[in-house]
Amino acid sequence: MNSLLRHKGWTWGFRSTILLYFVVLIVLPILGVYYNSFSLGFGNFIESISDPIAWKSVLLTLKLAIIATVINVFLGTMIAWVIIRYKFPGKALLNSLVDLPFALPTAVGGLMILLLLGPGSLIGGIVEALGFEIVFHQPAIVIAMIFVTFPFVIRAVQPLLEELDPSEEEAAYTMGAKGSRVFLRIILPSMAPGMIGGGMLAFSRALAEFGAVVLVAGNIPGRTLVSSVFIFGEVESDNPVGAAAVSIILLTLSFAILWLINMLQMRGRRS
């Protein structure tokens, strides 16, 4: 079997299949978006992204994605720490639930947030009584982004904590170092690559979220209209060029983030 797989014909066939898969499902759709963005000329592209509603939706998306990412990095690191360092009843269940956002359709996640925090819910009613509003406002969008990107930081930090040599911490404690110093000098540097990489993936994913956001955002231009919902509205309004123009901004940002992650990983392997 191994000799058959090493045959040049099989090798060429496998490579060709993989390349064809990559081109058809990834490269061509991306090129199609770029082509449609500039199909009516560069001037029309500039006009599309200069539309106040368009660039405000992009800026709002960036702001809310950054907020969701910072929260995810903080909470995700804490949860990864608890899962790896502590033993408690239900630990296996908690570890399994971490990946739930990957398994659920994002629209279901949005519906869960709507039912939990909406005006007719218990929590939503209490919050409204205190003078705050969540659903159909920016906090709901941040919560939706956090939900769909929740596993990235946790799954990136977990293996780093598992690989951390306990003898390094024990040696530091033996030499009289305090817990905070041990954490800052030994543990945090070990977790940092996972926190950065997971945070960047979470940010990239939050930029493009639609299914959960569209159910809980108020879609008010400049206040709750994010890029993904704006793109959907442009397509519905028979303006694919305007939708593609905003799409390539998100695409370019995602490319830059993924490229930076790969560079950091390659640098980490070399060191």
Side-chain angles (χ1 to χ4, degrees), residues 94-163:
L94 174 61
N95 195 32
S96 300
L97 288 176
V98 167
D99 293 322
L100 185 62
F102 286 155
L104 279 178
T106 54
V108 175
L111 180 61
M112 290 166 56
I113 296 170
L114 185 63
L115 295 176
L116 180 65
L117 303 175
S121 67
L122 176 61
I123 298 177
I126 294 173
V127 171
E128 282 190 357
L130 295 174
F132 300 98
E133 293 180 329
I134 299 178
V135 174
F136 308 128
H137 292 79
Q138 292 183 15
I141 301 174
V142 173
I143 293 171
M145 289 180 172
I146 291 172
F147 177 81
V148 297
T149 60
F150 183 68
F152 286 107
V153 176
I154 299 173
R155 293 312 188 206
V157 171
Q158 269 185 292
L160 299 178
L161 283 174
E162 290 173 345
E163 294 172 2

Side-chain angles (χ1 to χ4, degrees), residues 41-63:
F42 186 74
N44 189 271
F45 169 77
I46 295 297
E47 183 180 343
S48 296
I49 62 174
S50 300
D51 178 32
I53 297 178
W55 63 260
K56 283 181 180 179
S57 70
V58 173
L59 292 178
L60 178 65
T61 304
L62 288 172
K63 182 185 79 170

